[in-house]
């Protein structure tokens, strides 16, 4: 036979033998063991998995071929999955929730950072394969919907439940067919830049933590420490300002003295953390500086979970975003902030809820229709002490049809069908304008006559509604109409009768409670937990899977 023909035939035969050997190697590695494990009674990984049926169905559909292992050890895909479990801490999640400890137990070098998986028995290989698959399902769920069910934890979370049609088995099939594990799981992140920036900030905090855990405490600060004064907490506070890089190391003749150099650093720290940069060390500053990197990681983790709870929305659309914890309103358009204002939010016992609703109209020179609860708790007792209270406060009584009646002819504490309202004017509790986004919670944005309150650092002072600074500027940007100039707006705000102006489009108003977020530059921002909502969420987030989990 011609040698030129023999060589190609030999090559083809070798290739065929090689392919047969390869597929036999792949099939003979774990196929039989996986089928035996998954076809009988649920034991081991399956017995403890919330996704046992999905796991069984997935492997049956691929004839029990493994995904994460190759020739008895982790494949490239398996190593990528393990990395995603380890990196789930940057999402504010616990890698231990995704079988990390059990996976590490199977490694041949448990003490080293870069884990190897060699000389595993058939049983160990099956366990490793199924642990990683169970981890994929659980991590996919928690990244997409959150680990904790908000309706079981936070009664003030009023957003609609996040709708999803994601098929986790379908995602795993893509990975099994060669898709990147990292990109597949990243596709489940909330569609907000806040989340991506948050992950970067948490990763940076873990790097900072390696430098210093900052678990050391300092002397308690009661009252306020002003520049020029001495206090035993000053040396530690100075070290913390240096650690956070708002103050450069310097020599000081008296470490306990709050000197001018430290004063400038403190102002810089206050400004970057949303505080009034007055250079005074009060309880809020001391509380903030006392946070260790782990405390900050915990706070960030809590808010990453809140982002995962959020229903899908277009963050590039025109919207009004109110962060209750930051006491701030931002008018956004195409992800740019076109207007910012300080706000006053509900008191601790009148917490402003978190929800979204469309703003549709503005009311200039509004009446304040006083809620029944305020009438009963505040107005009636005041009238009983002072019969002239209503007239002094520019208030009147109206019947069910809105007709004004003489207050002297109505016993508000006994008769029903009547309500009290405050007439338009400078002393009206709603101020000179209100912005309406009808909702089930009777929450709206409005002006206030008590404008000096905006100078306060902590502004949880209202009955639940949102009071806004510079409401005339806000009205102008919402109306977006040249005919509504400054003069016309001021005139509308100072009438004796209210005027309702319908907007030419509906603008989503989103009320959130975020005690952490990271900006476009990756800078982490932290705010005080004024409503004390963080601790209960942290406890649930750091616990093992529980009744608070979503099904």
């Amino acid at each position: 036979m011609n040698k030129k023909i023999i060589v190609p035939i030999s090559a083809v035969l070798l290739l065929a033998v090689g392919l047969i050997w390869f597929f036999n190697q792949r099939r003979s590695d774990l196929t039989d063991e996986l089928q035996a494990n998954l076809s009988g009674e649920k034991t081991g990984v399956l017995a403890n998995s919330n996704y046992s049926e999905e796991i069984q169905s997935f492997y049956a559909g691929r004839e029990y071929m493994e995904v994460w292992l190759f020739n008895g050890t982790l494949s490239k895909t398996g190593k990528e999955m393990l990395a995603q479990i380890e990196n789930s801490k940057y999402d504010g999640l616990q890698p231990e929730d995704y079988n990390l400890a059990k996976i590490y137990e199977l490694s041949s070098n448990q003490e080293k950072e870069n884990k190897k998986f060699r000389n595993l028995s058939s049983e160990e290989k099956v366990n490793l394969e199924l642990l990683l698959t169970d981890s994929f399902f659980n991590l996919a769920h928690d990244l997409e919907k959150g680990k904790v069910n908000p309706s079981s934890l936070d009664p003030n979370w009023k957003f609609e439940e996040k709708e999803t049609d994601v098929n986790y088995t379908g995602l795993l099939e893509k990975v099994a067919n060669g898709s990147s594990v990292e990109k597949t799981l990243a596709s489940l992140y909330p569609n907000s830049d806040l989340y991506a920036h948050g992950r970067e900030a948490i990763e940076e905090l873990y790097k900072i933590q390696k430098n210093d855990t900052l678990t050391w405490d300092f002397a308690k600060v009661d009252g306020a420490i002003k520049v020029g004064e001495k206090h035993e907490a000053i040396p530690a506070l100075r070290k913390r300002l240096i650690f956070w890089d708002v103050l450069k190391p310097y020599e000081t003749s008296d470490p306990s003295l709050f000197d001018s150099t430290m004063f400038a650093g403190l102002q810089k720290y206050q400004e970057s953390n949303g505080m009034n940069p007055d250079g005074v060390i009060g309880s809020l500053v001391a509380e903030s500086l006392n946070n260790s990197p782990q405390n900050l990681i915990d706070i960030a983790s809590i808010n990453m979970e809140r982002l995962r709870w959020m229903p899908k929305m277009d963050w590039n659309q025109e919207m009004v975003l109110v962060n209750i914890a930051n006491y701030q309103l931002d008018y956004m358009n195409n992800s740019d902030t076109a207007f910012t204002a300080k706000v006053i939010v509900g008191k601790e016992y009148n917490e402003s809820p978190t929800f979204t609703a469309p703003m549709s109209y503005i009311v200039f020179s509004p009446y304040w229709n006083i809620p029944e609860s305020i009438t009963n708790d505040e107005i009636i007792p005041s009238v009983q002490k002072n019969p002239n209270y209503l007239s002094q406060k520019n208030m009147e009584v109206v019947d069910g049809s809105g007709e004004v009646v003489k207050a002297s002819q109505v016993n508000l504490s006994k008769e029903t069908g009547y309500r009290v309202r405050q007439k338009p004017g400078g002393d009206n509790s709603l101020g000179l304008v209100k912005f309406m986004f009808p909702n089930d919670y009777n929450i709206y944005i409005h002006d206030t006559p008590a404008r000096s309150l905006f100078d306060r650092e902590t502004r949880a002072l209202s009955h639940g509604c949102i009071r806004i600074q510079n409401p005339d500027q806000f009205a102008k940007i919402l109306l977006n109409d040249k005919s509504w100039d400054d003069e016309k707006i001021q005139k509308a705000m100072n009438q004796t009768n209210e005027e309702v102006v319908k907007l030419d489009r509906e603008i989503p108003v989103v009320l959130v409670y975020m005690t952490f977020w990271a900006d476009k530059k990756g800078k982490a921002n932290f705010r005080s937990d004024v409503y004390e909502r963080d601790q209960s969420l942290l406890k649930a987030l750091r616990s093992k899977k529980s009744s608070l989990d979503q099904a």
Side-chain angles (χ1 to χ4, degrees):
M1 186 179 289
N2 193 317
K3 287 185 178 180
K4 291 183 178 179
I5 298 175
I6 291 173
V7 173
I9 290 175
S10 300
V12 170
L13 287 172
L14 283 171
L15 179 61
V17 170
L19 288 170
I20 291 169
W21 176 87
F22 175 79
F23 284 114
N24 279 339
Q25 284 294 104
R26 289 291 289 131
R27 181 163 183 79
S28 64
D29 198 8
L30 273 188
T31 298
D32 294 337
E33 291 88 344
L34 276 171
Q35 185 170 6
N37 186 287
L38 295 170
S39 300
E41 185 179 343
K42 293 179 182 178
T43 58
V45 176
L46 280 191
N48 298 305
S49 175
N50 292 326
Y51 295 95
S52 58
E53 292 181 6
E54 289 88 342
I55 292 172
Q56 287 175 311
S57 175
F58 169 73
Y59 282 100
R62 57 186 278 105
E63 297 183 348
Y64 300 98
M65 290 274 286
E66 65 268 34
V67 176
W68 314 111
L69 275 70
F70 180 68
N71 285 343
T73 189
L74 281 186
S75 64
K76 179 183 177 183
T77 303
K79 291 175 183 176
E80 194 180 356
M81 182 64 214
L82 178 56
Q84 291 309 299
I85 294 171
E86 293 169 334
N87 292 343
S88 65
K89 65 184 181 181
Y90 303 139
D91 296 279
L93 297 169
Q94 294 191 117
E96 290 74 18
D97 282 340
Y98 313 106
N99 302 313
L100 187 64
K102 292 179 181 178
I103 292 169
Y104 280 175
E105 284 176 6
L106 296 171
S107 69
S108 52
N109 59 338
Q110 295 183 25
E111 303 304 317
K112 293 187 178 180
E113 189 171 330
N114 185 22
K115 299 291 187 292
K116 304 290 185 183
F117 296 85
R118 295 169 179 161
N119 304 318
L120 299 179
S121 67
S122 293
E123 182 181 355
E124 288 172 330
K125 292 175 189 175
V126 169
N127 280 340
L128 181 56
E129 173 74 18
L130 295 182
L131 282 169
L132 287 166
T133 302
D134 178 67
S135 301
F136 180 89
F137 278 105
N138 279 293
L139 183 54
H141 169 275
D142 292 355
L143 287 174
E144 191 211 7
K145 298 193 76 174
K147 173 184 173 180
V148 182
N149 184 345
S151 62
S152 302
L153 186 72
D154 188 349
N156 288 291
W157 183 268
K158 304 297 184 181
F159 287 100
E160 293 181 1
E161 185 177 350
K162 187 176 185 178
E163 294 182 0
T164 175
D165 56 0
V166 175
N167 184 313
Y168 303 140
T169 301
L171 291 181
L172 184 53
E173 287 171 352
K174 288 183 179 180
V175 169
N177 291 326
S179 292
S180 160
V181 182
E182 181 180 7
K183 289 181 179 178
T184 299
L185 290 174
S187 70
L188 300 172
Y189 293 164
N191 63 328
S192 165
D193 289 341
L194 284 173
Y195 194 85
H197 298 323
R199 281 190 102 252
E200 293 168 3
I202 293 177
E203 186 171 1
E204 181 62 26
L205 284 168
Y206 273 104
K207 291 177 183 176
I208 291 170
Q209 190 178 44
K210 287 184 178 181
N211 183 29
D212 192 335
T213 61
L214 288 189
T215 51
W216 40 275
D217 293 320
F218 50 79
K220 186 177 180 181
V221 176
D222 292 315
I225 310 172
K226 297 180 180 179
V227 64
E229 296 178 349
K230 294 183 180 182
H231 194 281
E232 56 183 331
I234 293 298
L237 288 169
R238 183 183 287 111
K239 282 178 67 177
R240 285 179 180 256
L241 289 171
I242 291 170
F243 179 85
W244 292 115
D245 200 29
V246 292
L247 190 63
K248 298 298 179 185
Y250 66 100
E251 294 292 330
T252 174
S253 57
D254 186 349
S256 66
L257 175 66
F258 181 13
D259 56 33
S260 58
T261 303
M262 183 176 170
F263 174 79
L266 178 64
Q267 284 184 307
K268 187 176 177 182
Y269 179 84
Q270 287 174 313
E271 190 167 18
S272 68
N273 284 274
M275 304 176 193
N276 181 18
D278 57 7
V280 176
I281 302 172
S283 58
L284 196 62
V285 171
E287 173 197 334
S288 178
L289 279 171
N290 201 29
N291 280 321
S292 66
Q294 186 58 54
N295 293 145
L296 299 179
I297 287 168
D298 287 342
I299 296 168
S301 300
I302 290 161
N303 291 279
M304 294 291 275
E305 179 77 351
R306 287 181 177 132
L307 285 175
R308 289 189 288 268
W309 290 348
M310 291 284 291
K312 290 183 179 179
M313 65 174 65
D314 179 7
W315 289 92
N316 292 320
Q317 68 183 325
E318 179 185 24
M319 65 190 301
V320 175
L321 181 65
V322 179
N323 184 357
I324 296 165
N326 193 33
Y327 309 114
Q328 182 167 305
L329 176 150
D330 292 303
Y331 169 78
M332 314 281 292
N333 208 345
N334 293 322
S335 296
D336 290 328
T337 304
F339 172 80
T340 295
K342 293 180 179 180
V343 295
I344 293 168
V345 300
K347 300 174 185 177
E348 287 85 343
Y349 52 85
N350 283 312
E351 295 184 17
S352 301
T354 52
F355 66 97
T356 182
M359 182 183 293
S360 53
Y361 65 100
I362 300 173
V363 182
F364 291 107
S365 301
Y367 284 99
W368 178 34
N369 295 303
I370 301 172
E372 186 178 354
S373 59
I374 298 177
T375 298
N376 292 334
D377 296 342
E378 300 177 28
I379 305 298
I380 292 174
S382 298
V383 170
Q384 290 171 342
K385 292 178 183 178
N386 176 13
N388 297 319
Y389 178 83
L390 293 181
S391 60
Q392 290 173 358
K393 295 294 182 180
N394 201 27
M395 295 177 181
E396 60 190 12
V397 178
V398 295
D399 60 21
S401 61
E403 294 295 322
V404 179
V405 299
K406 287 186 177 181
S408 59
Q409 296 177 353
V410 177
N411 187 335
L412 292 171
S413 61
K414 294 181 179 179
E415 296 182 57
T416 60
Y418 296 95
R419 55 188 170 85
V420 179
R421 70 181 184 185
Q422 190 173 33
K423 292 183 280 188
D427 57 353
N428 186 294
S429 293
L430 301 186
L432 304 177
V433 59
K434 65 179 181 179
F435 306 87
M436 302 302 293
F437 45 105
N439 56 79
D440 295 335
Y441 321 109
N442 199 29
I443 301 293
Y444 45 90
I445 299 168
H446 64 86
D447 179 27
T448 175
R451 299 205 172 113
S452 62
L453 297 178
F454 289 107
D455 294 331
R456 295 193 183 183
E457 196 163 66
T458 301
R459 296 190 294 277
L461 305 166
S462 78
H463 285 94
C465 284
I466 310 299
R467 305 178 194 170
I468 183 174
Q469 190 180 37
N470 304 321
D472 52 342
Q473 296 176 27
F474 188 45
K476 186 175 183 179
I477 202 166
L478 294 177
L479 289 166
N480 193 26
D481 184 337
K482 290 181 180 179
S483 68
W484 280 97
D485 56 18
D486 295 337
E487 183 180 351
K488 185 176 179 178
I489 288 173
Q490 287 298 325
K491 183 178 179 181
M493 289 170 61
N494 290 278
Q495 302 174 127
T496 55
N497 291 305
E498 70 176 23
E499 179 182 357
V500 177
V501 179
K502 194 174 186 302
L503 296 175
D504 62 0
R505 77 277 188 211
E506 291 188 336
I507 305 171
V509 177
V510 183
L511 273 65
V512 297
Y513 186 84
M514 300 291 291
T515 52
F516 156 85
W517 71 95
D519 60 25
K520 293 179 181 178
K521 297 179 180 178
K523 180 188 177 300
N525 292 268
F526 295 91
R527 296 296 181 264
S528 182
D529 180 22
V530 63
Y531 290 160
E532 297 184 353
R533 294 180 184 176
D534 282 2
Q535 280 306 307
S536 58
L537 177 50
L538 180 64
K539 183 179 179 181
L541 199 57
R542 294 296 185 237
S543 69
K544 292 184 178 180
K545 293 286 183 178
S546 68
S547 59
L548 288 172
D549 302 337
Q550 294 190 6

